[in-house]
Amino acid sequence: MRKIPYRLAGAAAVLVSLPLAVSPPVAAHAVEPDYTITVDPSSTGASIPKSMYGVFFEDINYAADGGLYAELVRNRSFEFNTTDASGYNGLTGWTATGSAVVTNDDQRLNERNRNYLRITGAAGITNAGYNTGLAVKKSDKYDFSVWARADAATSLEVTLLTSSGAALSAPLAVRVAGDTWKKYTGVLKATATSDVARLSVKASGSARLDEVSLFPRDTYKGRANGLRKDLAEKVADLKPGFVRFPGGCLVNTGSMYSYDAANNYPRARSYQWKDTVGPVETRATNKNFWGYNQTYGLGYHEYFQFSEDIGAMPLPVLPALVTGCGQNRATVDEALLQRHIQDALDLVEYANGPVTSTWGKLRAQSGHPKPFNLTTIAVGNEENLPEEYWANFLRFESAIKAKYPNITVVSNSGPDDQGGTFDNLWAKNRAHGSDMVDEHYYNSPAWFLQNNRRYDSYDRNGPKVFLGEYASLDNKLYNSLAEAAYMTGLERNADVVKMASYAPLLANIDNVQWKPDMIWFDNDESWGSTSYQVQKLFMNNVGDRVLPSSATGDVLQPEPITGAIGLSTWRTAATYDDVKVTRPDGTVLYSDDFSDGNADGWTSVTNRGNWAVTNGAYTQTTTDTEDTMVKAATIGETDYDYTLKATKTAGAEGFLVAFGIKETGRFYWWNLGGWNNTQGAVEKGITSAKEQILTKPNTVTTGKTYDLKIQVRGTKVTLILDGVEWASFDDNAVTEPFAQVVTEDTKRGEIIVKVVNAQDTPAVTKVDLGGRKVARTAKQTVITGDPGELNTRSAEPIQPVTSTVHGISSVFTREFPANSVTFLRIKTR
C-alpha cells in the first residue's frame, strides 16, 4: 500500500478550532478528490485476532496504590522507609497524638509484614490518604479493618473526619481483646461528600496495630480488596483483548533475590509474583522503581481477576534476571536462575492448575477455584544486555515449553525501535523461531506519521510482533492523530502484529513520573486523554479481518537539518573547547576557542547547570543536573561540519553535543556515555521529550579529551569520534498524515472504513469498496478538534461524535475533516 501525504507542516502548522459537526458527502463531479482509497476485491486480508488491542498496566504515576487499587489508607502497614523515597518513614501518611511508635520486633504480625504500630496509653492516629485526602461520598459505606492485639482490653474509636476535624461519619467502636493478632472489622457510613477526608483511630489504652485499612464498599464488581470503580470501568469500556502486567521497569530492576531473612529482606526488588498473592497481610512490601512504596495489595491474583472481569487475556511479564531501565546488570547465580524458572512454572500452575495442586489450591483459597486460563507469558522487559538476556530467555522458554507446550512465550527486542540491541535480539528471535517478540518505543508525532509502513516488510513467517508499549510524546490531539494513523498500519499488518498496547495506562495528576498517559485521575474524578478517546474508538471497532486496500496522494518531503549548535551534560561535569562550524570546503561559519575568557554568544536553553569559561575552555561543573543545554550560532546552510573537543571531568555519564536546534524545542544531540555511561545514541528532541534515532554501546573515560565531528549533508549526518566514523543516519522519511485501513466485521455484516486526516485542511476522498454491495447510509464516528487541545480535569473537549450519514455506495466521495479520525460502519447487502 502507498501511504498518503501530509499537505501542511504537521506540528508546525497553525492550530485552529474546529467544529464537531459531521462532514457532508461530496458529489464526485464537484471537486477533484485529494485522496483515493481503493479496496482490492480479489485479495483476502489477514484475520484480526481478538487480542489485537489491549492495555498495559504498570504501577507508575501512583497507578496502583492511590489509584486503581481502591484502598484509601496510605501506608496501612507502617512499612514505608527511606529506601522507598527520601523522607519516608513508618508514619508517612499518618499523624499521631500521644505515644504511637512504629516497631520492628518479634511481636510483629508475620515475618513478611515487618513493622507494626505500638500505642502506649491513650493515643490516636489519623491518616490523610493519598494526595489531598480520602475521597468519600455521602451515604456510601466503607469497610474498615485492622489487625490488633492488646495486653488488656482496649477500645478503638474509628471515625471519618474533615481536614479540620469535624465528623464525617458516626464513630465505630472496636473492642480489642487478647494478646494475639486478630483481624477486627466494621463499617463506616459517610455523612457528607469530601475529597479531603481523614481516617481517625483513637485507642483508649495500649495496643499494637497493623494493616489499618478502609475500602469503599462500592468497588468494581463489588469485590473485596477490589478496584476503584470509575477507573476500572474506564478500562473495561475500552474492551481490551488483553491486559499486560505488572510492568514495565518494575519487572526487571533492583534485586532479584527473595524478601526473606536469608537475603536481609531487600527493599528494592524486581516484581516477583509470589510476593503478591495470598492474604494481603502476608504480602511483602517493596520500593517502587518509580520512587515510592508499593504494598502489593494489588497483586497477581487481582490482575488475573480483573482480566477475567473485563473479558481480556492475562499477559504477565516475568523478570529474566537481567536488569533494564538504565541499570543494565546481569545476575549470575545459577541457583537463583533456577528458582525464577521454577517460579514461572508455578505461575502457570497458580493460574491454570487444579485445586489439588499446590498453587492451584492457593488460587482456590483466594476465592477462584476455576482456572484463569493463562495462555501467554512474557519473559523480560527492555533488557539492554542482549547476550545475557537471550541466554536466560532460552532457559525460561525451554522449561515452560517442556511442561506447558501450549503456552506462548514472548521474548523482546530491547528498549527502542532500532539500534544494536534491537537488531541483535531480532536476529536471535528469527533464527530461533520465537513465538512472539515484544517491541517498545515512545516517539514524536512525526515518527508515527513517517512509519506507517514499518511492519509491511516484516517476515510473514517469522515471529509475531507484540507492540507492548508505544505512545507519541504528548497528550494533545495531534499526538493522538499520529498514533491513530500508525494504528491503521498495525491493522493492515494484522498477520504480523498480533497485539498492541498504548502505555502507560493510568496517571494520578498529583503524582506523575511519566507522561503521556491514557487515563488521568485525582482522588475522586477521572478523565480520558485524547489518546484514550482514539484508542477506545479503535478498540471498539476492530473488525475480524482486513480488507486489503490502497491509497494515493502526495507526500511531504523531509527538510534539511539546520539550526543552532549546542552543548550539554547529563549528571556530568565536562569541558568543551575549539568549537568550529565550517562549510565542506573549509570556510569557517563560526568558531569559538574561548581564549578571550568569555562565552559571548552562548545562551542557556534550559536554565540549568553552572557554565563558565575556565582556563580557556567552556566548562559545566555540576554533576547532579540533567540537560544543561546551551546554544550558539544558528546555522542556515544545509551542508556543514561541526567540530569540537570534549572532556568529561566528573559524574555519572558522558556529554552531549547538540545541533539543528530550533526555537520550538526541536533538536538533535549526540549522546556519548549515556545511560549510566553504558550507551551512546543520537536522540531527536521534540519539545519536552526525545526519541532515539540510533543507539550503540559506548563508554566515556573521565579525563580523556575526545575529538568530535558532526558532518551534516542535508538530512544525512555522519558522526566521527577521534577520526573514526562512529555512526551515521539519514532523517529523510516522508511524512504521511493521511492514513486509512478498511476492515470487516463479518458477524455484524459491516465494512469499517477508518480514515485519519492529521493535517489542517479537510481531505476530499474517493472511496472505492471494490464492488461490494452496501447500504446507502452508514454510522459515522468522528473525533476532531484543535490539534493542540488536551482533555483535562476541568474540560474534556475531545470526544467522539456519532451520527448517521447518507450518500454511501460501492463508490462514494466524502470530505474528512481537518485533524480528525473518522470511522464509517457500513452495512453490507
Side-chain angles (χ1 to χ4, degrees):
M1 168 185 170
R2 184 184 176 203
K3 290 189 305 176
I4 301 304
Y6 206 134
R7 290 289 177 129
L8 295 179
V14 176
L15 304 182
V16 295
S17 297
L18 296 170
L20 293 180
V22 298
S23 57
V26 177
H29 65 276
V31 62
E32 186 69 21
D34 300 303
Y35 309 99
T36 63
I37 299 170
T38 305
V39 172
D40 182 354
S42 64
S43 298
T44 301
S47 61
I48 305 175
K50 182 181 182 296
S51 62
M52 182 70 201
Y53 297 121
V55 295
F56 163 50
F57 182 88
E58 180 172 16
D59 188 0
I60 185 174
N61 309 312
Y62 281 63
D65 295 323
L68 185 63
Y69 186 47
E71 172 66 77
L72 296 176
V73 176
R74 186 178 180 219
N75 191 16
R76 66 185 178 188
S77 293
F78 311 103
E79 297 289 333
F80 284 24
N81 67 26
T82 54
T83 303
D84 302 326
S86 175
Y88 275 23
N89 60 61
L91 282 174
T92 295
W94 297 93
T95 301
T97 57
S99 178
V101 180
V102 175
T103 306
N104 179 345
D105 63 21
D106 59 7
Q107 295 186 51
R108 64 180 65 87
L109 180 58
N110 59 64
E111 284 303 304
R112 291 163 70 79
N113 195 328
R114 307 293 292 165
N115 292 348
Y116 65 91
L117 188 71
R118 180 185 290 273
I119 291 176
T120 303
I125 52 173
T126 302
N127 192 273
Y130 295 86
N131 307 330
T132 57
L134 286 69
V136 297
K137 186 177 180 181
K138 183 178 181 180
S139 299
D140 278 6
K141 293 181 179 179
Y142 299 85
D143 291 319
F144 170 81
S145 64
V146 62
W147 284 80
R149 59 190 291 187
D151 297 329
T154 299
S155 293
L156 303 179
E157 182 181 274
V158 185
T159 319
L160 289 171
L161 304 173
T162 67
S163 56
S164 60
L168 280 171
S169 73
L172 168 68
V174 176
R175 182 174 173 79
V176 178
D179 194 19
T180 57
W181 287 104
K182 180 180 177 182
K183 186 176 182 180
Y184 297 86
T185 63
V187 178
L188 295 170
K189 184 177 180 180
T191 56
T193 296
S194 174
D195 61 0
V196 292
R198 305 289 189 263
L199 176 69
S200 169
V201 181
K202 294 181 179 179
S204 63
S206 299
R208 279 149 284 180
L209 308 179
D210 206 345
E211 288 286 321
V212 182
S213 172
L214 189 71
F215 265 87
R217 179 72 58 85
D218 189 22
T219 59
Y220 185 65
K221 301 287 187 181
R223 299 196 181 283
N225 196 52
L227 306 182
R228 179 171 148 176
K229 191 173 182 179
D230 64 320
L231 293 179
E233 286 177 342
K234 277 189 168 55
V235 178
D237 288 346
L238 293 168
K239 299 180 181 176
F242 64 88
V243 178
R244 175 178 176 246
F245 61 87
C249 288
L250 299 185
V251 168
N252 65 335
T253 51
S255 171
M256 300 290 171
Y257 289 90
S258 301
Y259 190 68
D260 55 27
N263 294 293
N264 198 29
Y265 297 99
R267 277 293 295 270
R269 307 182 309 287
S270 63
Y271 199 110
Q272 300 174 41
W273 77 268
K274 290 180 179 177
D275 286 345
T276 76
V277 294
V280 293
E281 67 274 8
T282 67
R283 299 182 187 181
T285 189
N286 201 11
K287 169 187 169 62
N288 184 301
F289 173 81
W290 297 107
Y292 51 95
N293 177 275
Q294 56 189 144
T295 67
Y296 289 145
L298 177 58
Y300 257 69
H301 186 87
E302 290 73 29
Y303 289 129
F304 280 127
Q305 184 66 74
F306 183 48
S307 300
E308 181 180 86
D309 284 344
I310 63 177
M313 178 186 80
L315 202 172
V317 185
L318 301 177
L321 273 70
V322 178
T323 59
C325 303
Q327 294 184 354
N328 297 338
R329 298 188 306 271
T331 301
V332 182
D333 183 331
E334 179 62 25
L336 183 63
L337 177 60
Q338 288 295 338
R339 195 217 88 195
H340 276 268
I341 290 172
Q342 186 60 50
D343 284 353
L345 300 177
D346 292 344
L347 176 60
V348 181
E349 183 176 289
Y350 183 89
N352 296 348
V355 297
T356 54
S357 65
T358 300
W359 294 101
K361 180 179 180 181
L362 180 59
R363 182 194 69 239
Q365 291 171 343
S366 301
H368 201 284
K370 293 183 179 180
F372 281 118
N373 298 318
L374 175 65
T375 64
T376 307
I377 291 176
V379 177
N381 173 77
E382 296 188 9
E383 284 75 18
N384 209 20
L385 297 175
E387 303 305 325
E388 294 86 342
Y389 166 73
W390 185 249
N392 286 0
F393 170 78
L394 292 177
R395 299 279 295 276
F396 276 88
E397 184 196 46
S398 177
I400 294 169
K401 292 287 191 180
K403 190 168 184 179
Y404 302 107
N406 293 326
I407 293 288
T408 297
V409 183
V410 182
S411 177
N412 77 69
S413 59
D416 200 33
D417 60 272
Q418 52 72 47
T421 295
F422 179 89
D423 294 339
N424 186 336
L425 284 173
W426 254 111
K428 286 177 165 61
N429 279 291
R430 288 192 187 97
H432 176 63
S434 298
D435 292 336
M436 187 174 290
V437 178
D438 187 4
E439 294 189 355
H440 294 180
Y441 37 84
Y442 298 91
N443 289 321
S444 68
W447 186 93
F448 285 97
L449 295 173
Q450 291 166 355
N451 284 275
N452 182 275
R453 287 181 283 184
R454 174 181 176 88
Y455 296 107
D456 288 8
S457 60
Y458 273 49
D459 183 359
R460 309 340 261 183
N461 298 312
K464 301 308 178 186
V465 173
F466 170 30
L467 179 48
E469 296 183 31
Y470 74 97
S472 172
L473 294 169
D474 208 337
N475 261 151
K476 297 179 176 131
L477 176 59
Y478 185 68
N479 300 88
S480 308
L481 296 174
E483 292 155 4
Y486 193 72
M487 292 169 79
T488 65
L490 301 182
E491 291 189 12
R492 192 180 65 252
N493 287 283
D495 57 330
V496 169
V497 182
K498 294 300 182 183
M499 297 188 295
S501 48
Y502 179 103
L505 178 63
L506 294 170
N508 183 321
I509 195 168
D510 296 316
N511 292 285
V512 180
Q513 291 83 45
W514 180 282
K515 57 184 179 181
D517 304 283
M518 193 193 296
I519 299 169
W520 292 78
F521 63 92
D522 58 18
N523 276 9
D524 60 344
E525 295 178 284
S526 57
W527 56 98
S529 67
T530 61
S531 291
Y532 173 82
Q533 297 300 340
V534 167
Q535 292 285 330
K536 184 178 177 182
L537 183 59
F538 272 86
M539 293 166 78
N540 281 249
N541 296 278
V542 180
D544 50 42
R545 75 180 183 96
V546 177
L547 295 182
S549 59
S550 59
T552 58
D554 297 328
V555 297
L556 180 70
Q557 297 298 330
E559 296 180 353
I561 298 171
T562 61
I565 60 170
L567 307 168
S568 190
T569 60
W570 195 284
R571 292 190 285 124
T572 302
T575 296
Y576 298 96
D577 205 353
D578 296 338
V579 175
K580 184 180 292 185
V581 182
T582 63
R583 293 192 180 107
D585 65 5
T587 304
V588 176
L589 298 173
Y590 174 84
S591 68
D592 196 342
D593 63 6
F594 308 103
S595 59
D596 57 3
N598 65 59
D600 291 349
W602 291 88
T603 60
S604 177
V605 175
T606 60
N607 294 316
R608 299 178 190 143
N610 183 18
W611 288 93
V613 175
T614 306
N615 298 324
Y618 202 18
T619 65
Q620 196 294 114
T621 56
T622 65
T623 58
D624 59 354
T625 310
E626 298 178 349
D627 190 6
T628 65
M629 188 188 292
V630 293
K631 69 175 183 177
T634 298
I635 306 301
E637 302 200 19
T638 62
D639 294 1
Y640 56 93
D641 296 333
Y642 173 20
T643 59
L644 70 156
K645 297 182 185 298
T647 308
K648 170 186 173 179
T649 57
E653 302 209 355
F655 34 74
L656 307 113
V657 182
F659 56 102
I661 303 171
K662 305 288 189 182
E663 293 300 325
T664 55
R666 292 178 292 150
F667 63 90
Y668 300 81
W669 70 19
W670 184 7
N671 183 350
L672 287 166
W675 292 269
N676 291 316
N677 207 16
T678 63
Q679 186 170 239
V682 174
E683 297 176 279
K684 186 176 181 179
I686 309 97
T687 60
S688 61
K690 294 179 290 295
E691 67 183 47
Q692 294 175 24
I693 291 178
L694 61 86
T695 60
K696 60 186 294 186
N698 171 254
T699 300
V700 167
T701 302
T702 301
K704 178 180 177 180
T705 297
Y706 294 86
D707 288 312
L708 309 179
K709 182 177 182 179
I710 301 171
Q711 180 179 290
V712 179
R713 300 293 183 268
T715 61
K716 185 174 182 179
V717 177
T718 303
L719 306 164
I720 300 170
L721 177 64
D722 290 335
V724 177
E725 182 174 326
W726 186 82
S728 65
F729 69 92
D730 195 347
D731 195 8
N732 64 346
V734 297
T735 302
E736 303 166 295
F738 185 96
Q740 61 82 35
V741 68
V742 183
T743 66
E744 186 167 19
D745 185 335
T746 55
K747 184 176 181 180
R748 294 177 57 174
E750 293 178 337
I751 292 172
I752 312 171
V753 178
K754 310 173 188 184
V755 177
V756 181
N757 182 27
Q759 57 189 324
D760 290 341
T761 54
V764 177
T765 306
K766 178 182 176 182
V767 181
D768 184 343
L769 297 178
R772 295 290 294 270
K773 294 181 178 180
V774 296
R776 300 289 294 172
T777 61
K779 177 184 174 183
Q780 175 178 271
T781 303
V782 181
I783 295 174
T784 189
D786 183 331
E789 190 67 82
L790 291 162
N791 283 349
T792 67
R793 174 165 41 192
S794 59
E796 297 180 67
I798 304 302
Q799 298 287 334
V801 174
T802 300
S803 63
T804 299
V805 296
H806 301 269
I808 304 299
S809 63
S810 179
V811 179
F812 63 95
T813 300
R814 291 199 67 77
E815 181 182 278
F816 295 103
N819 299 301
S820 67
V821 181
T822 302
F823 278 36
L824 292 168
R825 294 195 71 116
I826 306 168
K827 287 283 187 183
T828 57
R829 295 190 296 175

